[in-house]
Amino acid sequence: MRINGGPFGLNKHRFGWFVGHLTLLFCAFRYGMSYITFNFYSRWARFSYRTAFVAAAATYGIVVYKAYRARARSGSRQQGGPLALVGDENVQYLGSYQWLLTMALVWLFSRQFPLAILPFSVYSVFHVATYTRTNLIPTLQPSQPSASASPGGRPKPNPMADTIGKFVKEYYDASMMLVASLEIFLWFRILFSAIIFTKGSWILIAIYTVFLRARYSQSSFVQGAISQGGRKVDGLIANQSTPPVVKQAWETIKGLARQGADATDINRYVQGQPVKKAQ
């Protein structure tokens, strides 16, 4: 996902978007305090957890609403049918926000999964930092022209804004890789709940699998995290002490995963490329 300080122009919506992310961070922090003290089912913990996802749904809902409103005003229409529409780059960019909105609502009404709040929190850290640098600081501390600057020259940069900018630039890629890893690990956490037949887990694993497949299509970080994880498991399986049945099982799992990814790759259908049959 691209962090750019807000994907819309109206100040009232942008500020509401910022407040939503800020609220999410406060609630995530409050819930984290309850979690580390083993009070994650207390009244305040439950309130903080649910409110965090209400804030997430509100922020991404604003983005989706503004994007759809802009498309409706422009009257742009994609030619080529539904598959071409899904394959359009702008629609896929909007789709990433739609999926985050959907998952925020899913987590809001599901039982608590503490891990689910972390990816949203990391996103919010960068959104809040970027908004603070590009909107709050210039408003609260307008840049003053330096004494040696010529008339009409560039104003003196704000040290706090520069520090935030350096933080975002330095830690963005690593943080997005962390988010991707958390999202993948969360899939295994939900799968475990489904295996032990926790109520509602089979429906949740189905929804989350579709979400993760969409994220894989749209995010190079998710692709990188999955590839990196696969290589690590390959290294462990390649050990001579690994039983042959385990090696065969791992190869089967990888083959099924590839077949599933190929069968659900919308771009292959959009581009008219035939899907290879399983060997």
Side-chain angles (χ1 to χ4, degrees):
M1 174 180 299
R2 189 177 181 83
I3 308 292
N4 57 10
F8 35 74
L10 293 180
N11 290 334
K12 62 180 181 180
H13 292 102
R14 186 182 301 171
F15 184 72
W17 173 86
F18 165 74
V19 170
H21 283 295
L22 193 62
T23 302
L24 193 158
L25 286 178
F26 279 127
C27 291
F29 177 78
R30 179 62 183 83
Y31 180 75
M33 292 297 98
S34 297
Y35 186 82
I36 63 178
T37 56
F38 303 100
N39 291 319
F40 33 84
Y41 288 116
S42 66
R43 179 182 301 177
W44 272 109
R46 294 196 304 269
F47 174 80
S48 299
Y49 182 87
R50 303 299 174 188
T51 305
F53 286 114
V54 169
T59 54
Y60 294 113
I62 290 173
V63 177
V64 172
Y65 166 75
K66 290 300 298 178
Y68 271 116
R69 189 174 179 183
R71 287 176 64 87
R73 284 181 173 179
S74 65
S76 61
R77 287 180 179 163
Q78 178 74 23
Q79 300 297 324
L83 285 178
L85 180 63
V86 174
D88 181 73
E89 186 175 316
N90 293 326
V91 174
Q92 289 181 356
Y93 176 72
L94 173 60
S96 64
Y97 286 101
Q98 290 175 312
W99 272 112
L100 287 171
L101 169 60
T102 300
M103 289 311 304
L105 294 173
V106 169
W107 297 128
L108 175 61
F109 295 106
S110 301
R111 71 184 188 87
Q112 288 187 22
F113 278 89
L115 188 60
I117 206 171
L118 293 180
F120 287 92
S121 300
V122 176
Y123 285 140
S124 291
V125 166
F126 285 92
H127 284 307
V128 168
T130 302
Y131 184 91
T132 300
R133 178 176 64 87
T134 58
N135 292 274
L136 291 185
I137 292 178
T139 300
L140 300 177
Q141 298 180 354
S143 299
Q144 301 294 331
S146 59
S148 59
S150 59
R154 296 181 61 182
K156 183 179 180 181
N158 186 290
M160 184 180 296
D162 285 348
T163 300
I164 294 175
K166 292 177 181 177
F167 168 82
V168 172
K169 184 176 181 179
E170 182 175 355
Y171 293 103
Y172 176 78
D173 286 352
S175 298
M176 293 303 103
M177 184 62 74
L178 172 63
V179 168
S181 301
L182 289 171
E183 291 173 340
I184 295 167
F185 185 76
L186 182 55
W187 185 88
F188 287 100
R189 173 64 183 87
I190 301 171
L191 177 64
F192 175 76
S193 295
I195 291 173
I196 62 176
F197 293 98
T198 303
K199 183 179 179 181
S201 293
W202 282 104
I203 297 176
L204 185 57
I205 191 66
I207 296 173
Y208 194 77
T209 299
V210 176
F211 163 75
L212 195 59
R213 179 62 184 91
R215 290 279 292 135
Y216 181 82
S217 298
Q218 299 161 354
S219 172
S220 60
F221 295 105
V222 176
Q223 296 171 16
I226 291 178
S227 298
Q228 186 178 33
R231 288 192 297 269
K232 288 182 178 179
V233 176
D234 282 339
L236 295 174
I237 296 296
N239 193 300
Q240 293 182 352
S241 61
T242 304
V245 64
V246 175
K247 293 182 179 180
Q248 183 61 39
W250 173 238
E251 292 299 324
T252 301
I253 292 173
K254 288 198 297 182
L256 291 174
R258 291 192 192 100
Q259 293 175 24
D262 288 342
T264 54
D265 186 0
I266 295 296
N267 290 324
R268 296 174 68 89
Y269 299 95
V270 172
Q271 296 168 4
Q273 300 176 1
V275 180
K276 294 182 180 180
K277 295 182 180 179
Q279 300 296 322

